[in-house]
Coordinates of all heavy atoms in Angstrom, one line a residue:
M1 N -31.0 -7.0 -7.0 CA -29.9 -6.6 -7.9 C -29.0 -7.9 -8.1 O -29.0 -8.8 -7.4 CB -29.0 -5.6 -7.2 CG -29.4 -4.2 -7.5 SD -28.1 -3.1 -7.2 CE -28.6 -2.4 -5.6
S2 N -28.3 -7.9 -9.2 CA -27.4 -9.0 -9.6 C -26.1 -8.9 -8.8 O -25.8 -7.9 -8.2 CB -27.2 -8.9 -11.0 OG -26.3 -7.9 -11.3
N3 N -25.4 -10.0 -8.8 CA -24.1 -10.1 -8.1 C -23.1 -9.1 -8.6 O -22.3 -8.6 -7.9 CB -23.5 -11.5 -8.2 CG -24.3 -12.5 -7.3 OD1 -25.0 -12.0 -6.4 ND2 -24.2 -13.7 -7.5
I4 N -23.1 -8.9 -10.0 CA -22.2 -8.0 -10.6 C -22.5 -6.5 -10.1 O -21.5 -5.8 -10.0 CB -22.3 -8.1 -12.1 CG1 -21.7 -9.5 -12.6 CG2 -21.4 -7.0 -12.8 CD1 -21.9 -9.8 -14.0
A5 N -23.7 -6.2 -10.0 CA -24.1 -4.9 -9.5 C -23.5 -4.7 -8.0 O -22.9 -3.5 -7.8 CB -25.6 -4.6 -9.5
Y6 N -23.6 -5.6 -7.2 CA -23.0 -5.5 -5.9 C -21.5 -5.3 -5.9 O -20.9 -4.6 -5.1 CB -23.4 -6.6 -5.0 CG -24.9 -6.7 -4.5 CD1 -25.7 -7.7 -4.8 CD2 -25.3 -5.7 -3.7 CE1 -27.0 -7.7 -4.4 CE2 -26.5 -5.6 -3.3 CZ -27.4 -6.6 -3.6 OH -28.7 -6.6 -3.1
D7 N -20.8 -6.1 -7.0 CA -19.4 -5.9 -7.0 C -19.0 -4.5 -7.5 O -18.1 -4.0 -6.9 CB -18.8 -6.9 -8.1 CG -18.9 -8.3 -7.6 OD1 -19.0 -8.6 -6.4 OD2 -18.9 -9.3 -8.5
W8 N -19.7 -3.9 -8.3 CA -19.5 -2.6 -8.8 C -19.7 -1.6 -7.6 O -19.0 -0.6 -7.5 CB -20.3 -2.2 -10.0 CG -19.7 -2.7 -11.3 CD1 -20.2 -3.7 -12.0 CD2 -18.6 -2.3 -12.0 NE1 -19.4 -4.0 -13.1 CE2 -18.4 -3.1 -13.1 CE3 -17.8 -1.2 -11.7 CZ2 -17.3 -2.9 -14.0 CZ3 -16.6 -1.0 -12.5 CH2 -16.5 -1.9 -13.8
I9 N -20.8 -1.8 -6.9 CA -21.2 -0.9 -5.8 C -20.0 -0.9 -4.8 O -19.6 0.1 -4.2 CB -22.5 -1.3 -5.1 CG1 -23.6 -0.9 -6.2 CG2 -22.7 -0.4 -3.9 CD1 -25.0 -1.5 -5.7
A10 N -19.5 -2.1 -4.5 CA -18.4 -2.3 -3.5 C -17.2 -1.6 -3.9 O -16.5 -0.9 -3.2 CB -18.2 -3.8 -3.3
L11 N -17.0 -1.6 -5.4 CA -15.7 -1.0 -5.9 C -15.9 0.6 -5.7 O -15.0 1.2 -5.5 CB -15.6 -1.3 -7.4 CG -14.4 -0.7 -8.0 CD1 -13.1 -1.3 -7.4 CD2 -14.4 -1.1 -9.5
V12 N -17.2 1.0 -6.0 CA -17.4 2.5 -5.9 C -17.2 3.0 -4.4 O -16.6 4.0 -4.1 CB -18.8 2.9 -6.5 CG1 -19.1 4.3 -6.1 CG2 -18.8 2.7 -8.0
V13 N -17.8 2.2 -3.5 CA -17.7 2.5 -2.1 C -16.2 2.5 -1.7 O -15.7 3.4 -1.0 CB -18.5 1.6 -1.3 CG1 -18.2 1.8 0.3 CG2 -19.9 1.8 -1.5
A14 N -15.4 1.6 -2.2 CA -14.0 1.5 -1.9 C -13.3 2.7 -2.4 O -12.4 3.3 -1.8 CB -13.4 0.2 -2.4
A15 N -13.6 3.1 -3.6 CA -13.0 4.4 -4.3 C -13.4 5.6 -3.3 O -12.5 6.4 -3.1 CB -13.5 4.5 -5.7
I16 N -14.6 5.6 -2.9 CA -15.0 6.8 -2.1 C -14.2 6.8 -0.7 O -13.7 7.8 -0.3 CB -16.5 6.8 -1.8 CG1 -17.3 7.1 -3.1 CG2 -16.8 7.7 -0.7 CD1 -18.8 6.9 -3.0
L17 N -14.0 5.6 -0.2 CA -13.3 5.6 1.1 C -11.8 5.9 0.8 O -11.1 6.5 1.7 CB -13.4 4.1 1.7 CG -14.7 3.8 2.2 CD1 -14.8 2.3 2.7 CD2 -15.2 4.8 3.2
F18 N -11.1 5.5 -0.2 CA -9.9 6.0 -0.7 C -9.7 7.5 -0.8 O -8.8 8.1 -0.4 CB -9.4 5.4 -1.9 CG -8.7 4.0 -1.7 CD1 -9.4 2.8 -2.3 CD2 -7.6 3.8 -1.0 CE1 -8.8 1.6 -2.1 CE2 -7.0 2.5 -0.8 CZ -7.6 1.4 -1.4
A19 N -10.8 8.1 -1.3 CA -10.9 9.5 -1.5 C -10.9 10.2 -0.1 O -10.3 11.3 0.1 CB -12.1 10.0 -2.4
V20 N -11.7 9.6 0.8 CA -11.7 10.1 2.1 C -10.3 10.1 2.7 O -9.9 11.1 3.4 CB -12.7 9.3 3.0 CG1 -12.6 9.7 4.4 CG2 -14.2 9.6 2.5
L21 N -9.7 9.0 2.6 CA -8.3 8.8 3.3 C -7.4 9.9 2.6 O -6.5 10.5 3.3 CB -7.8 7.5 3.0 CG -8.5 6.4 3.9 CD1 -8.0 5.0 3.4 CD2 -8.2 6.6 5.4
S22 N -7.5 10.1 1.3 CA -6.7 11.2 0.6 C -6.9 12.5 1.1 O -6.1 13.3 1.3 CB -6.8 11.0 -0.9 OG -6.1 11.9 -1.6
F23 N -8.2 12.8 1.3 CA -8.7 14.1 1.8 C -8.1 14.3 3.2 O -7.6 15.4 3.5 CB -10.2 14.2 1.8 CG -10.7 15.4 2.5 CD1 -10.7 16.7 1.9 CD2 -11.2 15.3 3.9 CE1 -11.2 17.7 2.5 CE2 -11.7 16.4 4.5 CZ -11.7 17.6 3.9
L24 N -8.2 13.2 4.0 CA -7.6 13.4 5.4 C -6.0 13.6 5.3 O -5.6 14.4 6.2 CB -7.8 12.1 6.2 CG -9.2 11.9 6.6 CD1 -9.4 10.5 7.3 CD2 -9.7 13.1 7.5
K25 N -5.4 13.1 4.4 CA -4.0 13.4 4.2 C -3.6 14.8 3.7 O -2.8 15.5 4.5 CB -3.3 12.3 3.3 CG -1.8 12.6 3.1 CD -1.3 11.6 2.1 CE 0.3 11.9 2.0 NZ 0.8 11.1 0.9
H26 N -4.2 15.2 2.7 CA -3.9 16.4 2.1 C -4.6 17.6 2.7 O -3.9 18.7 2.8 CB -4.3 16.4 0.6 CG -3.5 15.4 -0.2 ND1 -2.1 15.5 -0.3 CD2 -3.8 14.2 -0.7 CE1 -1.6 14.4 -1.0 NE2 -2.7 13.7 -1.2
K27 N -5.8 17.6 3.2 CA -6.5 18.8 3.6 C -6.4 18.8 5.2 O -6.4 19.8 5.8 CB -7.9 18.7 3.2 CG -8.1 18.8 1.7 CD -7.5 20.0 1.1 CE -7.9 20.1 -0.3 NZ -7.3 21.2 -1.0
K28 N -6.5 17.8 5.8 CA -6.6 17.8 7.3 C -5.3 17.4 8.1 O -5.1 17.4 9.3 CB -7.7 16.8 7.8 CG -9.0 17.1 7.4 CD -9.6 18.3 8.0 CE -11.0 18.6 7.6 NZ -11.5 19.9 8.1
N29 N -4.2 17.0 7.3 CA -3.0 16.7 7.7 C -3.0 15.6 8.8 O -2.4 15.5 9.8 CB -2.2 17.8 8.2 CG -1.8 18.9 7.2 OD1 -1.6 18.4 6.1 ND2 -1.9 20.1 7.5
A30 N -3.9 14.5 8.5 CA -3.9 13.3 9.5 C -2.7 12.6 9.4 O -2.1 12.5 8.3 CB -5.2 12.5 9.1
G31 N -2.3 12.1 10.5 CA -1.1 11.3 10.6 C -1.2 9.9 10.0 O -2.2 9.5 9.6
F32 N 0.0 9.3 9.7 CA 0.1 8.1 9.1 C -0.7 6.9 9.9 O -1.5 6.2 9.4 CB 1.5 7.6 8.8 CG 1.6 6.4 8.1 CD1 1.3 6.2 6.8 CD2 2.1 5.2 8.8 CE1 1.4 5.0 6.1 CE2 2.1 4.0 8.2 CZ 1.9 3.9 6.8
T33 N -0.5 7.0 11.2 CA -1.1 6.0 12.0 C -2.6 6.1 12.0 O -3.3 5.2 11.9 CB -0.6 6.1 13.5 OG1 0.8 6.0 13.5 CG2 -1.2 5.0 14.4
T34 N -3.1 7.3 12.0 CA -4.6 7.5 12.0 C -5.2 7.0 10.7 O -6.2 6.3 10.7 CB -4.9 9.1 12.1 OG1 -4.3 9.5 13.3 CG2 -6.4 9.3 12.1
R35 N -4.5 7.4 9.6 CA -5.0 6.9 8.3 C -4.9 5.4 8.2 O -5.8 4.7 7.6 CB -4.2 7.5 7.2 CG -4.6 9.0 7.1 CD -3.8 9.7 5.9 NE -2.5 9.9 6.3 CZ -1.4 9.5 5.5 NH1 -1.6 9.0 4.4 NH2 -0.1 9.7 6.0
V36 N -3.9 4.7 8.7 CA -3.8 3.3 8.6 C -4.9 2.6 9.5 O -5.5 1.6 9.0 CB -2.3 2.8 9.1 CG1 -2.4 1.3 9.4 CG2 -1.4 3.1 8.1
L37 N -5.2 3.1 10.6 CA -6.2 2.5 11.5 C -7.6 2.8 10.9 O -8.4 1.9 10.9 CB -6.2 3.2 12.9 CG -5.0 2.8 13.7 CD1 -5.0 3.6 15.0 CD2 -5.0 1.3 14.0
L38 N -7.8 4.0 10.2 CA -9.1 4.2 9.6 C -9.2 3.3 8.3 O -10.3 2.8 8.0 CB -9.1 5.6 9.1 CG -9.6 6.7 10.1 CD1 -9.5 8.1 9.6 CD2 -11.1 6.3 10.5
A39 N -8.1 3.1 7.5 CA -8.2 2.2 6.4 C -8.5 0.8 6.8 O -9.3 0.1 6.1 CB -6.8 2.3 5.7
T40 N -7.9 0.3 8.0 CA -8.2 -0.9 8.5 C -9.8 -1.1 8.8 O -10.4 -2.1 8.5 CB -7.4 -1.4 9.7 OG1 -5.9 -1.2 9.3 CG2 -7.6 -2.7 10.2
A41 N -10.2 -0.1 9.5 CA -11.7 -0.1 9.9 C -12.5 -0.1 8.7 O -13.5 -0.8 8.6 CB -11.9 1.1 10.8
F42 N -12.2 0.8 7.6 CA -12.9 0.8 6.4 C -13.0 -0.5 5.8 O -13.9 -0.9 5.2 CB -12.3 1.9 5.5 CG -12.6 3.3 5.9 CD1 -11.8 4.3 5.4 CD2 -13.6 3.7 6.8 CE1 -12.0 5.7 5.6 CE2 -13.7 5.0 7.2 CZ -13.1 5.9 6.6
G43 N -11.8 -1.1 5.7 CA -11.7 -2.5 5.0 C -12.6 -3.5 5.7 O -13.2 -4.3 5.1
I44 N -12.5 -3.5 7.0 CA -13.4 -4.4 7.8 C -14.8 -4.2 7.5 O -15.7 -5.2 7.3 CB -13.0 -4.4 9.3 CG1 -11.6 -5.0 9.6 CG2 -14.1 -5.2 10.1 CD1 -11.1 -4.6 11.0
I45 N -15.2 -3.0 7.5 CA -16.6 -2.6 7.3 C -17.0 -2.9 5.9 O -18.2 -3.5 5.6 CB -16.8 -1.1 7.6 CG1 -16.7 -0.8 9.2 CG2 -18.2 -0.7 7.1 CD1 -16.6 0.6 9.5
L46 N -16.2 -2.6 4.9 CA -16.4 -2.9 3.5 C -16.6 -4.4 3.3 O -17.5 -4.9 2.6 CB -15.4 -2.4 2.6 CG -15.6 -2.5 1.1 CD1 -16.7 -1.6 0.8 CD2 -14.3 -2.1 0.4
G47 N -15.7 -5.3 3.9 CA -15.8 -6.7 3.9 C -17.1 -7.2 4.5 O -17.7 -8.2 3.9
I48 N -17.5 -6.7 5.6 CA -18.7 -7.2 6.3 C -19.9 -6.7 5.5 O -20.9 -7.5 5.3 CB -18.8 -6.6 7.7 CG1 -17.7 -7.4 8.6 CG2 -20.2 -6.9 8.3 CD1 -17.5 -6.8 10.0
A49 N -20.0 -5.6 5.0 CA -21.1 -5.0 4.2 C -21.3 -5.7 2.9 O -22.5 -5.9 2.5 CB -21.0 -3.6 4.1
F50 N -20.3 -6.0 2.2 CA -20.3 -6.6 0.9 C -19.8 -8.0 0.9 O -19.1 -8.3 0.0 CB -19.6 -5.7 -0.1 CG -20.3 -4.4 -0.3 CD1 -19.8 -3.3 0.3 CD2 -21.3 -4.3 -1.1 CE1 -20.4 -2.0 0.1 CE2 -21.9 -3.1 -1.4 CZ -21.4 -1.9 -0.8
K51 N -20.0 -8.7 1.9 CA -19.5 -10.1 2.0 C -19.8 -11.0 0.8 O -21.0 -11.1 0.4 CB -20.2 -10.9 3.3 CG -19.5 -12.1 3.5 CD -20.1 -12.6 4.8 CE -19.3 -13.8 5.4 NZ -19.7 -14.1 6.8
G52 N -18.7 -11.4 0.2 CA -18.8 -12.3 -1.0 C -19.0 -11.4 -2.3 O -19.1 -12.1 -3.4
H53 N -19.0 -10.1 -2.3 CA -19.2 -9.3 -3.4 C -18.0 -8.3 -3.5 O -18.3 -7.1 -3.9 CB -20.5 -8.5 -3.3 CG -21.7 -9.5 -3.4 ND1 -22.2 -10.1 -4.4 CD2 -22.6 -9.8 -2.3 CE1 -23.2 -10.9 -4.1 NE2 -23.5 -10.6 -2.7
T54 N -16.9 -8.7 -3.3 CA -15.8 -7.9 -3.4 C -14.7 -8.3 -4.5 O -13.6 -8.1 -4.3 CB -15.0 -7.8 -2.0 OG1 -14.7 -9.1 -1.6 CG2 -15.9 -7.2 -1.1
D55 N -15.2 -8.9 -5.5 CA -14.3 -9.5 -6.6 C -13.6 -8.3 -7.2 O -12.4 -8.5 -7.5 CB -15.2 -10.2 -7.6 CG -15.8 -11.5 -7.1 OD1 -15.2 -12.0 -6.1 OD2 -16.7 -12.0 -7.7
Y56 N -14.2 -7.2 -7.6 CA -13.5 -6.2 -8.3 C -12.5 -5.4 -7.3 O -11.5 -4.9 -7.7 CB -14.5 -5.2 -8.9 CG -15.4 -5.7 -9.9 CD1 -16.6 -5.3 -10.2 CD2 -14.8 -6.7 -10.8 CE1 -17.4 -5.9 -11.2 CE2 -15.6 -7.3 -11.8 CZ -16.9 -6.8 -12.0 OH -17.7 -7.4 -12.9
V57 N -12.9 -5.3 -6.1 CA -12.0 -4.6 -5.1 C -10.9 -5.5 -4.9 O -9.7 -5.1 -4.8 CB -12.8 -4.4 -3.8 CG1 -11.9 -3.9 -2.7 CG2 -14.0 -3.5 -4.0
G58 N -11.1 -6.8 -4.9 CA -9.9 -7.8 -4.7 C -9.0 -7.7 -5.9 O -7.8 -7.9 -5.7
A59 N -9.5 -7.6 -7.1 CA -8.7 -7.4 -8.3 C -7.9 -6.2 -8.2 O -6.7 -6.2 -8.5 CB -9.6 -7.4 -9.6
A60 N -8.4 -5.1 -7.9 CA -7.6 -3.9 -7.7 C -6.6 -4.0 -6.6 O -5.5 -3.6 -6.7 CB -8.5 -2.6 -7.3
G61 N -6.9 -4.7 -5.5 CA -5.9 -4.9 -4.5 C -4.9 -5.8 -4.9 O -3.7 -5.6 -4.6
S62 N -5.1 -6.8 -5.7 CA -4.0 -7.8 -6.2 C -3.1 -6.9 -7.2 O -1.9 -7.1 -7.0 CB -4.7 -8.9 -7.0 OG -5.4 -9.6 -6.1
I63 N -3.7 -6.1 -8.0 CA -2.8 -5.3 -8.8 C -1.9 -4.4 -8.0 O -0.7 -4.2 -8.3 CB -3.7 -4.4 -9.8 CG1 -4.3 -5.4 -10.8 CG2 -2.8 -3.4 -10.6 CD1 -5.4 -4.8 -11.7
W64 N -2.5 -3.7 -7.0 CA -1.7 -2.8 -6.2 C -0.6 -3.6 -5.4 O 0.5 -3.2 -5.3 CB -2.6 -2.1 -5.2 CG -1.9 -1.2 -4.3 CD1 -1.6 -1.4 -3.0 CD2 -1.4 0.1 -4.6 NE1 -1.0 -0.3 -2.5 CE2 -0.8 0.6 -3.4 CE3 -1.3 0.8 -5.8 CZ2 -0.2 1.8 -3.4 CZ3 -0.6 2.0 -5.7 CH2 -0.1 2.4 -4.5
S65 N -0.9 -4.7 -5.0 CA 0.0 -5.6 -4.1 C 1.1 -6.0 -5.0 O 2.3 -6.0 -4.6 CB -0.8 -6.8 -3.6 OG 0.2 -7.6 -2.9
N66 N 0.8 -6.5 -6.2 CA 1.9 -6.9 -7.2 C 2.8 -5.7 -7.5 O 4.0 -5.9 -7.7 CB 1.2 -7.5 -8.4 CG 0.7 -8.8 -8.1 OD1 1.0 -9.5 -7.2 ND2 -0.3 -9.2 -9.0
A67 N 2.2 -4.5 -7.7 CA 3.0 -3.4 -8.0 C 4.0 -3.0 -6.9 O 5.2 -2.8 -7.2 CB 2.1 -2.2 -8.4
I68 N 3.4 -3.1 -5.7 CA 4.3 -2.8 -4.6 C 5.5 -3.9 -4.4 O 6.6 -3.6 -4.1 CB 3.5 -2.8 -3.2 CG1 2.5 -1.5 -3.2 CG2 4.5 -2.7 -1.9 CD1 3.3 -0.2 -3.2
T69 N 5.0 -5.2 -4.6 CA 6.1 -6.3 -4.6 C 7.2 -6.0 -5.6 O 8.3 -6.2 -5.3 CB 5.4 -7.6 -4.8 OG1 4.4 -7.7 -3.7 CG2 6.4 -8.7 -4.7
A70 N 6.8 -5.6 -6.8 CA 7.8 -5.5 -7.9 C 8.7 -4.3 -7.5 O 9.9 -4.4 -7.8 CB 7.0 -5.2 -9.2
L71 N 8.1 -3.2 -6.9 CA 9.0 -2.1 -6.6 C 9.9 -2.5 -5.5 O 11.1 -2.1 -5.5 CB 8.0 -0.9 -6.1 CG 8.8 0.4 -5.7 CD1 9.4 1.0 -7.0 CD2 7.7 1.3 -5.1
V72 N 9.5 -3.2 -4.5 CA 10.4 -3.6 -3.3 C 11.5 -4.5 -3.8 O 12.6 -4.4 -3.5 CB 9.5 -4.3 -2.3 CG1 10.5 -4.9 -1.2 CG2 8.7 -3.2 -1.6
V73 N 11.2 -5.4 -4.8 CA 12.2 -6.3 -5.3 C 13.3 -5.6 -6.1 O 14.4 -5.8 -5.9 CB 11.5 -7.5 -6.1 CG1 12.6 -8.1 -6.9 CG2 10.8 -8.4 -5.3
L74 N 12.8 -4.7 -6.9 CA 13.7 -3.9 -7.7 C 14.6 -3.0 -6.8 O 15.8 -2.9 -7.0 CB 13.0 -3.0 -8.7 CG 12.4 -3.7 -9.9 CD1 11.6 -2.7 -10.7 CD2 13.4 -4.3 -10.7
L75 N 14.0 -2.5 -5.8 CA 14.9 -1.6 -4.8 C 15.8 -2.5 -4.1 O 17.0 -2.1 -3.9 CB 13.8 -0.9 -3.8 CG 13.2 0.3 -4.4 CD1 12.2 0.8 -3.4 CD2 14.1 1.5 -4.8
A76 N 15.4 -3.6 -3.6 CA 16.3 -4.5 -2.9 C 17.4 -4.9 -3.8 O 18.6 -5.0 -3.4 CB 15.5 -5.8 -2.4
L77 N 17.1 -5.4 -5.0 CA 18.2 -5.8 -5.9 C 19.1 -4.7 -6.4 O 20.3 -4.8 -6.5 CB 17.6 -6.5 -7.2 CG 16.9 -7.8 -7.0 CD1 16.3 -8.3 -8.3 CD2 17.8 -8.8 -6.5
G78 N 18.5 -3.6 -6.4 CA 19.3 -2.3 -6.8 C 20.3 -1.9 -5.7 O 21.4 -1.5 -5.9
F79 N 19.8 -1.9 -4.6 CA 20.6 -1.4 -3.4 C 21.5 -2.4 -2.7 O 22.4 -2.0 -2.0 CB 19.6 -0.8 -2.3 CG 19.2 0.5 -2.7 CD1 17.8 0.8 -2.8 CD2 20.0 1.6 -3.1 CE1 17.2 2.1 -3.2 CE2 19.6 2.9 -3.5 CZ 18.2 3.1 -3.5
S80 N 21.3 -3.7 -2.9 CA 22.0 -4.7 -2.2 C 23.5 -4.5 -2.8 O 24.5 -4.7 -2.0 CB 21.5 -6.0 -2.4 OG 21.4 -6.5 -3.7
P81 N 23.8 -4.5 -4.2 CA 25.2 -4.3 -4.5 C 25.9 -3.1 -3.9 O 27.0 -3.1 -3.5 CB 25.1 -4.3 -6.0 CG 23.9 -4.9 -6.4 CD 22.9 -4.5 -5.2
C82 N 25.1 -2.0 -3.9 CA 25.7 -0.7 -3.2 C 26.0 -0.9 -1.8 O 27.0 -0.5 -1.3 CB 24.6 0.4 -3.4 SG 24.2 0.9 -5.1
G83 N 25.1 -1.7 -1.1 CA 25.3 -2.0 0.3 C 26.6 -2.9 0.4 O 27.4 -2.7 1.4
M84 N 26.7 -3.8 -0.4 CA 28.0 -4.6 -0.3 C 29.3 -3.8 -0.6 O 30.3 -4.1 0.1 CB 27.9 -5.8 -1.3 CG 26.9 -6.9 -0.8 SD 26.9 -8.3 -1.9 CE 25.5 -8.0 -2.9
R85 N 29.1 -3.0 -1.6 CA 30.3 -2.2 -1.8 C 30.6 -1.2 -0.7 O 31.8 -1.0 -0.4 CB 30.1 -1.3 -3.1 CG 30.3 -2.1 -4.4 CD 30.2 -1.2 -5.6 NE 28.9 -0.6 -5.6 CZ 28.2 -0.5 -6.7 NH1 28.7 -0.7 -7.9 NH2 26.9 0.0 -6.7
L86 N 29.6 -0.6 -0.1 CA 29.8 0.2 1.1 C 30.5 -0.5 2.3 O 31.3 -0.1 2.9 CB 28.5 0.9 1.5 CG 28.5 1.8 2.7 CD1 29.5 3.0 2.3 CD2 27.2 2.2 3.0
R87 N 29.9 -1.7 2.5 CA 30.4 -2.5 3.6 C 32.0 -2.9 3.3 O 32.8 -2.7 4.2 CB 29.6 -3.8 3.8 CG 29.9 -4.5 5.0 CD 29.0 -5.6 5.2 NE 29.8 -6.9 4.8 CZ 29.3 -7.9 4.5 NH1 28.0 -8.1 4.5 NH2 30.1 -8.9 4.1
S88 N 32.2 -3.2 2.1 CA 33.6 -3.5 1.8 C 34.5 -2.3 1.9 O 35.7 -2.3 2.3 CB 33.8 -4.2 0.4 OG 33.5 -3.3 -0.6
Y89 N 34.0 -1.2 1.5 CA 34.7 0.1 1.6 C 34.9 0.5 3.0 O 36.1 0.9 3.4 CB 34.0 1.3 0.9 CG 34.6 2.6 1.1 CD1 35.7 3.0 0.4 CD2 33.9 3.5 2.1 CE1 36.2 4.2 0.6 CE2 34.5 4.8 2.3 CZ 35.6 5.1 1.5 OH 36.3 6.3 1.8
L90 N 33.9 0.4 3.8 CA 34.1 0.6 5.3 C 35.1 -0.3 5.9 O 35.9 0.1 6.8 CB 32.7 0.6 5.9 CG 31.8 1.7 5.5 CD1 30.5 1.5 6.3 CD2 32.4 3.1 6.0
S91 N 35.0 -1.6 5.6 CA 36.0 -2.5 6.1 C 37.4 -2.2 5.7 O 38.4 -2.4 6.5 CB 35.7 -3.9 5.9 OG 35.7 -4.1 4.5
C92 N 37.6 -1.7 4.5 CA 39.0 -1.4 4.0 C 39.5 -0.1 4.6 O 40.6 0.0 5.0 CB 39.0 -1.1 2.5 SG 38.6 -2.6 1.5
T93 N 38.6 0.9 4.9 CA 39.1 2.1 5.6 C 39.3 1.9 7.1 O 40.2 2.4 7.6 CB 38.0 3.2 5.4 OG1 36.8 2.8 5.9 CG2 37.9 3.6 4.0
R94 N 38.6 0.8 7.6 CA 38.9 0.6 9.0 C 40.2 -0.1 9.3 O 40.9 0.1 10.2 CB 37.7 -0.3 9.5 CG 37.7 -0.5 11.1 CD 36.5 -1.3 11.6 NE 35.3 -0.9 10.9 CZ 34.3 -1.8 10.6 NH1 34.6 -3.1 10.8 NH2 33.3 -1.5 9.9
R95 N 40.6 -1.0 8.3 CA 41.9 -1.7 8.3 C 43.1 -0.8 8.2 O 44.1 -1.0 8.7 CB 41.9 -2.9 7.4 CG 41.2 -4.1 7.9 CD 41.4 -5.2 6.9 NE 40.1 -5.5 6.3 CZ 39.8 -5.9 5.2 NH1 40.9 -6.2 4.3 NH2 38.7 -6.2 4.7
S96 N 42.9 0.2 7.4 CA 44.0 1.1 7.0 C 44.5 2.1 8.1 O 45.4 2.7 8.0 CB 43.7 1.9 5.7 OG 42.7 2.7 6.0
R97 N 43.6 2.2 9.1 CA 44.0 3.1 10.2 C 45.0 2.6 11.2 O 45.4 1.7 11.5 CB 42.7 3.4 11.0 CG 41.8 4.4 10.2 CD 40.7 4.7 11.1 NE 39.7 5.5 10.2 CZ 38.5 5.8 10.5 NH1 38.1 5.7 11.8 NH2 37.7 6.4 9.8

């Protein structure tokens, strides 16, 4: 098989493993720690099994990582002014007593 075929197979296997994790969450009510440990094990196994053929999985992971980073930055920028206002409000109410 060609290298591109192995990349696609790795992507399909990764999607199946994500489906297994989703099934565990929704149907079996598996805890967060259990799912994180299983995802770590799945990632290690996937990396060993498809060594050097995880380009498409890496691309999907990069997109996901960038989306999470953008969300965290927006939340941090959005909430920091609120936190500063709350802190100043609390310090004003503490002084007035």
Side-chain angles (χ1 to χ4, degrees):
M1 269 200 260
S2 69
N3 286 340
I4 295 175
Y6 283 121
D7 289 340
W8 280 106
I9 292 170
L11 184 63
V12 169
V13 170
I16 291 170
L17 293 176
F18 274 113
V20 168
L21 291 171
S22 177
F23 172 79
L24 288 174
K25 177 183 178 188
H26 295 294
K27 301 293 182 184
K28 299 292 183 181
N29 294 327
F32 181 72
T33 305
T34 304
R35 289 182 285 129
V36 166
L37 292 174
L38 276 174
T40 302
F42 288 163
I44 291 169
I45 292 168
L46 187 70
I48 291 171
F50 293 101
K51 189 173 192 171
H53 298 286
T54 56
D55 292 340
Y56 296 148
V57 177
S62 294
I63 292 169
W64 180 254
S65 175
N66 289 338
I68 294 295
T69 302
L71 182 66
V72 168
V73 167
L74 287 174
L75 287 173
L77 291 176
F79 285 123
S80 62
C82 294
M84 286 186 260
R85 281 188 296 218
L86 178 63
R87 194 175 97 199
S88 65
Y89 171 76
L90 290 176
S91 65
C92 289
T93 57
R94 193 175 319 138
R95 279 187 243 147
S96 64
R97 291 184 187 176

